[in-house]
Amino acid sequence: DRVKKVSNSLHFYHQIDFEDLESVKQIDFNVDVLMVFIGKTGTVQGFEDYKQFINVNEIIFLNILQAYVEMNSKSLIIYPSSRLIFKSNEEGLVAEGAELRMRSIYAVTKYAAEKYLEIYKDVYGINFVILRICTPFGTLLEDFGNYGTFEIFKKQAQNEKKVRLFGDGEQKKTFTHILDVCKAFDLIIKKVNTDWDNYNLGGKALALKDIALNIANKNNVPVEKAEWPELYYKVDGGTIVFDSSRFDK
């Protein structure tokens, strides 16, 4: 965060400059688990802000990995990755080994981070688990909005008095509530017995039109159909429903 100190009760809080390797090495790496939540997310935004996406999602992540090695850490790294590394599949489920097709700068940086973990495992023997999250939503924080699709539709309903739906709305995604994302991280800590792996996280497969109709009805506003903006459709217009059977087992 930007602040140097939160409160006396949070004695474990330290301000770290993640662009500076020496600053990153101030972190106590002598822990059981290291969960990496630093990341810059977005699809079309990455084309205009590519330097920042690469800096945060790759350079800063490499600083963490290098500090981990130099501090002789043996902790398990848990890294959240993205559905956007996969090719969309309109017919079936997307498993961990499904065909890849990255269509945004963000997606490439997330996949690069996955490969960096593999490289550091091969060279330095680090331990890690990758948890691929399809579409998270919800919040556990007061005065903090929802995330992604739900929040966009909610704000449209409240501010524009309508919900704008691109195309036919048949595209489906696996939606996972943030509480279930937190539980998944907790389960990995307690249950995973391997020192490296990757998993698709499950949830509920929902079509965009169903979410739009639900939010529109709750706010008593109409759903307005609109054409997909070409760039948005190219980078994230398809269906991705995760096969999470490996993680579920």
Side-chain angles (χ1 to χ4, degrees), residues 81-113:
S81 191
S82 170
R83 75 177 187 276
L84 291 167
I85 69 170
F86 290 114
K87 180 181 179 181
S88 61
N89 187 335
E90 311 300 326
E91 305 298 330
L93 300 179
V94 174
E96 284 84 355
E99 183 177 353
L100 303 177
R101 186 180 179 186
M102 286 140 276
R103 297 187 291 181
S104 65
I105 306 298
Y106 167 71
V108 172
T109 63
K110 296 300 283 186
Y111 185 63

Side-chain angles (χ1 to χ4, degrees), residues 11-70:
H11 58 86
F12 51 80
Y13 180 92
H14 297 282
Q15 185 186 45
I16 300 294
D17 178 2
F18 282 94
E19 294 181 316
D20 179 4
L21 178 60
E22 293 305 313
S23 181
V24 177
K25 287 161 68 174
Q26 295 179 49
I27 296 172
D28 181 4
F29 283 90
N30 185 27
V31 292
D32 295 318
V33 180
L34 182 70
M35 293 179 280
V36 181
F37 293 122
I38 292 176
K40 186 170 178 63
T41 184
T43 50
V44 299
Q45 299 89 343
F47 294 101
E48 296 180 356
D49 199 12
Y50 56 87
K51 290 183 179 180
Q52 187 70 359
F53 274 78
I54 292 171
N55 183 52
V56 174
N57 294 345
E58 294 190 52
I59 303 300
I60 283 177
F61 184 56
L62 284 168
N63 279 346
I64 295 172
L65 292 181
Q66 191 61 29
Y68 173 104
V69 169
E70 293 187 20

Side-chain angles (χ1 to χ4, degrees), residues 135-137 147-154 175 208 211 215:
T135 311
F137 74 98
Y147 184 84
T149 304
F150 282 80
E151 181 71 359
I152 292 170
F153 285 162
K154 179 182 174 183
F175 287 86
L208 294 181
I211 300 172
I215 292 176

Side-chain angles (χ1 to χ4, degrees), residues 31-241:
V31 292
D32 295 318
V33 180
L34 182 70
M35 293 179 280
V36 181
F37 293 122
I38 292 176
K40 186 170 178 63
T41 184
T43 50
V44 299
Q45 299 89 343
F47 294 101
E48 296 180 356
D49 199 12
Y50 56 87
K51 290 183 179 180
Q52 187 70 359
F53 274 78
I54 292 171
N55 183 52
V56 174
N57 294 345
E58 294 190 52
I59 303 300
I60 283 177
F61 184 56
L62 284 168
N63 279 346
I64 295 172
L65 292 181
Q66 191 61 29
Y68 173 104
V69 169
E70 293 187 20
M71 301 302 290
N72 298 311
S73 178
K74 303 300 180 185
S75 63
L76 173 69
I77 298 174
I78 305 180
Y79 179 78
S81 191
S82 170
R83 75 177 187 276
L84 291 167
I85 69 170
F86 290 114
K87 180 181 179 181
S88 61
N89 187 335
E90 311 300 326
E91 305 298 330
L93 300 179
V94 174
E96 284 84 355
E99 183 177 353
L100 303 177
R101 186 180 179 186
M102 286 140 276
R103 297 187 291 181
S104 65
I105 306 298
Y106 167 71
V108 172
T109 63
K110 296 300 283 186
Y111 185 63
E114 290 193 13
K115 305 315 288 184
Y116 293 144
L117 283 165
E118 291 183 16
I119 292 169
Y120 272 76
K121 172 180 171 50
D122 291 341
V123 176
Y124 296 107
I126 72 170
N127 303 318
F128 69 87
V129 172
I130 295 168
L131 186 66
R132 295 186 180 123
I133 303 167
C134 191
T135 311
F137 74 98
T139 178
L140 302 179
L141 303 177
E142 294 181 6
D143 302 320
F144 191 86
N146 207 315
Y147 184 84
T149 304
F150 282 80
E151 181 71 359
I152 292 170
F153 285 162
K154 179 182 174 183
K155 286 184 176 179
Q156 288 176 354
Q158 294 174 343
N159 299 331
E160 303 176 31
K161 305 304 178 185
K162 61 185 178 184
V163 174
R164 190 165 56 256
L165 181 65
F166 293 146
D168 57 15
E170 295 290 345
Q171 295 86 1
K172 290 184 177 181
K173 302 284 192 296
T174 296
F175 287 86
T176 312
H177 191 271
I178 191 63
L179 182 58
D180 290 319
V181 175
C182 293
K183 288 179 179 177
F185 273 81
D186 187 52
L187 283 170
I188 289 173
I189 295 170
K190 294 176 179 176
K191 301 289 186 182
V192 171
N193 295 318
T194 181
D195 61 353
W196 70 275
D197 213 333
N198 62 73
Y199 295 99
N200 289 349
L201 179 60
K204 187 170 184 178
L206 295 172
L208 294 181
K209 67 176 183 179
D210 296 329
I211 300 172
L213 285 170
N214 183 281
I215 292 176
N217 290 337
K218 285 190 174 183
N219 290 273
N220 196 28
V221 299
V223 173
E224 179 184 86
K225 293 288 186 71
E227 291 293 323
W228 270 98
E230 184 178 5
L231 184 57
Y232 280 85
Y233 186 79
K234 285 182 176 179
V235 301
D236 191 23
T239 288
I240 294 184
V241 176

